[in-house]
Short mmCIF file of all heavy atoms in Angstrom, two decimals:
data_model
loop_
_atom_site.label_atom_id
_atom_site.label_comp_id
_atom_site.label_asym_id
_atom_site.label_seq_id
_atom_site.Cartn_x
_atom_site.Cartn_y
_atom_site.Cartn_z
N TRP A 29 -39.91 38.73 76.92
CA TRP A 29 -40.39 37.53 76.36
C TRP A 29 -39.42 36.80 75.50
O TRP A 29 -39.77 36.01 74.56
CB TRP A 29 -41.78 37.75 75.64
CG TRP A 29 -41.77 38.61 74.48
CD1 TRP A 29 -41.46 38.27 73.22
CD2 TRP A 29 -42.02 39.93 74.44
NE1 TRP A 29 -41.59 39.35 72.44
CE2 TRP A 29 -41.98 40.44 73.19
CE3 TRP A 29 -42.49 40.91 75.45
CZ2 TRP A 29 -42.25 41.83 72.75
CZ3 TRP A 29 -42.77 42.26 75.11
CH2 TRP A 29 -42.63 42.64 73.82
N TRP A 30 -38.11 37.01 75.83
CA TRP A 30 -37.04 36.48 74.86
C TRP A 30 -36.57 35.07 75.35
O TRP A 30 -35.67 34.90 76.08
CB TRP A 30 -35.93 37.43 74.85
CG TRP A 30 -36.21 38.66 74.06
CD1 TRP A 30 -37.15 38.75 73.11
CD2 TRP A 30 -35.74 40.01 74.25
NE1 TRP A 30 -37.18 40.08 72.59
CE2 TRP A 30 -36.29 40.78 73.35
CE3 TRP A 30 -34.73 40.51 75.13
CZ2 TRP A 30 -35.99 42.19 73.13
CZ3 TRP A 30 -34.38 41.89 75.01
CH2 TRP A 30 -35.04 42.67 74.01
N GLU A 35 -33.27 34.46 70.96
CA GLU A 35 -33.62 35.50 71.85
C GLU A 35 -32.95 35.39 73.24
O GLU A 35 -32.48 36.30 73.78
CB GLU A 35 -35.19 35.40 72.03
CG GLU A 35 -35.97 35.81 70.87
CD GLU A 35 -37.44 35.72 71.20
OE1 GLU A 35 -37.80 34.78 72.00
OE2 GLU A 35 -38.30 36.43 70.62
N GLY A 60 -43.82 33.32 75.02
CA GLY A 60 -44.92 33.70 74.01
C GLY A 60 -44.48 34.77 73.12
O GLY A 60 -44.17 35.96 73.54
N GLY A 61 -44.41 34.38 71.86
CA GLY A 61 -43.92 35.37 70.81
C GLY A 61 -44.69 36.72 70.91
O GLY A 61 -45.89 36.76 71.20
N ALA A 62 -43.98 37.76 70.61
CA ALA A 62 -44.58 39.14 70.42
C ALA A 62 -45.10 39.63 71.77
O ALA A 62 -45.63 40.73 71.81
CB ALA A 62 -45.66 39.24 69.36
N GLY A 63 -44.99 38.97 72.81
CA GLY A 63 -45.25 39.48 74.14
C GLY A 63 -46.65 39.51 74.57
O GLY A 63 -46.96 40.20 75.56
N GLN A 84 -40.27 45.03 78.87
CA GLN A 84 -40.24 45.19 77.38
C GLN A 84 -41.55 45.83 77.05
O GLN A 84 -42.66 45.20 76.94
CB GLN A 84 -39.97 43.86 76.80
CG GLN A 84 -39.29 43.92 75.45
CD GLN A 84 -39.22 42.48 74.93
OE1 GLN A 84 -39.11 41.50 75.68
NE2 GLN A 84 -39.18 42.39 73.57
N LYS A 86 -43.24 48.59 74.10
CA LYS A 86 -42.75 49.19 72.71
C LYS A 86 -43.79 50.20 72.27
O LYS A 86 -45.00 50.20 72.54
CB LYS A 86 -42.67 48.11 71.70
CG LYS A 86 -41.85 46.88 72.20
CD LYS A 86 -41.59 45.95 71.17
CE LYS A 86 -42.81 45.30 70.48
NZ LYS A 86 -42.47 44.38 69.44
N ASN A 135 -32.97 48.08 69.68
CA ASN A 135 -32.65 47.61 68.20
C ASN A 135 -33.71 48.04 67.33
O ASN A 135 -34.70 48.73 67.62
CB ASN A 135 -32.65 46.14 68.41
CG ASN A 135 -34.03 45.46 68.71
OD1 ASN A 135 -34.98 46.22 68.99
ND2 ASN A 135 -34.18 44.19 68.78
N HIS A 137 -35.78 45.82 64.44
CA HIS A 137 -36.10 44.77 63.61
C HIS A 137 -36.79 45.08 62.35
O HIS A 137 -37.63 45.99 62.36
CB HIS A 137 -37.06 43.77 64.46
CG HIS A 137 -36.38 42.80 65.34
ND1 HIS A 137 -35.51 41.95 64.92
CD2 HIS A 137 -36.41 42.63 66.70
CE1 HIS A 137 -35.04 41.17 65.93
NE2 HIS A 137 -35.68 41.63 67.02
N TRP A 185 -50.80 36.93 66.54
CA TRP A 185 -49.72 37.95 66.16
C TRP A 185 -48.96 37.48 64.95
O TRP A 185 -48.58 38.28 64.09
CB TRP A 185 -48.75 38.18 67.34
CG TRP A 185 -47.80 37.08 67.63
CD1 TRP A 185 -47.99 36.06 68.42
CD2 TRP A 185 -46.44 36.85 66.99
NE1 TRP A 185 -46.83 35.19 68.42
CE2 TRP A 185 -45.91 35.65 67.52
CE3 TRP A 185 -45.75 37.58 66.08
CZ2 TRP A 185 -44.63 35.17 67.20
CZ3 TRP A 185 -44.49 37.14 65.72
CH2 TRP A 185 -43.87 35.92 66.29
N TRP A 244 -43.57 30.68 66.62
CA TRP A 244 -42.80 31.06 65.52
C TRP A 244 -41.41 30.32 65.30
O TRP A 244 -41.07 30.11 64.24
CB TRP A 244 -42.63 32.55 65.52
CG TRP A 244 -41.81 33.05 66.62
CD1 TRP A 244 -42.12 33.27 68.00
CD2 TRP A 244 -40.38 33.23 66.73
NE1 TRP A 244 -41.03 33.63 68.66
CE2 TRP A 244 -39.96 33.62 67.84
CE3 TRP A 244 -39.34 33.04 65.57
CZ2 TRP A 244 -38.52 33.87 68.23
CZ3 TRP A 244 -38.04 33.32 65.93
CH2 TRP A 244 -37.70 33.73 67.22
N TRP A 264 -35.95 38.41 63.91
CA TRP A 264 -35.65 37.63 65.02
C TRP A 264 -35.48 36.20 64.59
O TRP A 264 -34.83 35.37 65.25
CB TRP A 264 -36.82 37.85 66.16
CG TRP A 264 -38.13 37.73 65.71
CD1 TRP A 264 -38.92 36.75 65.56
CD2 TRP A 264 -38.93 38.83 65.23
NE1 TRP A 264 -40.18 36.96 65.11
CE2 TRP A 264 -40.17 38.34 64.89
CE3 TRP A 264 -38.64 40.22 64.98
CZ2 TRP A 264 -41.21 39.07 64.34
CZ3 TRP A 264 -39.67 41.03 64.53
CH2 TRP A 264 -40.98 40.40 64.23
N ASN A 295 -39.69 47.51 63.69
CA ASN A 295 -40.24 47.09 64.89
C ASN A 295 -39.12 47.30 65.90
O ASN A 295 -38.08 46.73 65.83
CB ASN A 295 -40.56 45.61 64.86
CG ASN A 295 -40.80 44.97 66.25
OD1 ASN A 295 -41.13 45.68 67.22
ND2 ASN A 295 -40.63 43.65 66.30
N ILE A 296 -39.33 48.21 66.82
CA ILE A 296 -38.18 48.64 67.71
C ILE A 296 -38.43 48.10 69.08
O ILE A 296 -39.51 48.41 69.74
CB ILE A 296 -38.09 50.22 67.76
CG1 ILE A 296 -37.57 50.56 66.34
CG2 ILE A 296 -37.05 50.66 68.74
CD1 ILE A 296 -37.68 52.04 66.07
N ASP A 297 -37.54 47.32 69.61
CA ASP A 297 -37.67 46.84 71.06
C ASP A 297 -37.22 47.86 71.89
O ASP A 297 -36.25 48.55 71.71
CB ASP A 297 -36.92 45.58 71.22
CG ASP A 297 -37.56 44.33 70.60
OD1 ASP A 297 -38.81 44.16 70.78
OD2 ASP A 297 -36.91 43.56 69.79
N LYS A 333 -29.38 38.77 68.22
CA LYS A 333 -30.83 38.83 68.11
C LYS A 333 -31.47 38.85 66.70
O LYS A 333 -32.63 38.58 66.46
CB LYS A 333 -31.28 40.12 68.81
CG LYS A 333 -32.71 40.43 68.92
CD LYS A 333 -33.39 39.49 70.00
CE LYS A 333 -34.83 39.81 70.39
NZ LYS A 333 -35.78 39.68 69.35
N HIS A 373 -46.56 44.50 65.38
CA HIS A 373 -45.60 44.44 66.48
C HIS A 373 -45.67 45.73 67.32
O HIS A 373 -44.66 46.22 67.85
CB HIS A 373 -44.12 44.17 65.96
CG HIS A 373 -44.14 42.73 65.56
ND1 HIS A 373 -43.89 41.69 66.39
CD2 HIS A 373 -44.47 42.19 64.28
CE1 HIS A 373 -43.99 40.53 65.74
NE2 HIS A 373 -44.38 40.84 64.54
C1 GAL B 1 -41.39 40.78 68.60
C2 GAL B 1 -40.23 41.42 69.34
C3 GAL B 1 -39.02 40.66 68.92
C4 GAL B 1 -39.18 39.24 68.96
C5 GAL B 1 -40.59 38.75 68.40
C6 GAL B 1 -40.79 37.21 68.75
O1 GAL B 1 -42.54 41.56 68.88
O2 GAL B 1 -40.09 42.75 68.95
O3 GAL B 1 -37.99 41.08 69.74
O4 GAL B 1 -38.90 38.71 70.12
O5 GAL B 1 -41.53 39.48 68.89
O6 GAL B 1 -41.04 37.01 70.12
#
Side-chain angles (χ1 to χ4, degrees):
W29 60 87
W30 291 331
E35 289 177 333
Q84 205 182 333
K86 315 187 295 179
N135 62 357
H137 271 301
W185 73 270
W244 67 273
W264 43 94
N295 169 22
I296 294 166
D297 285 312
K333 186 71 168 67
H373 292 275

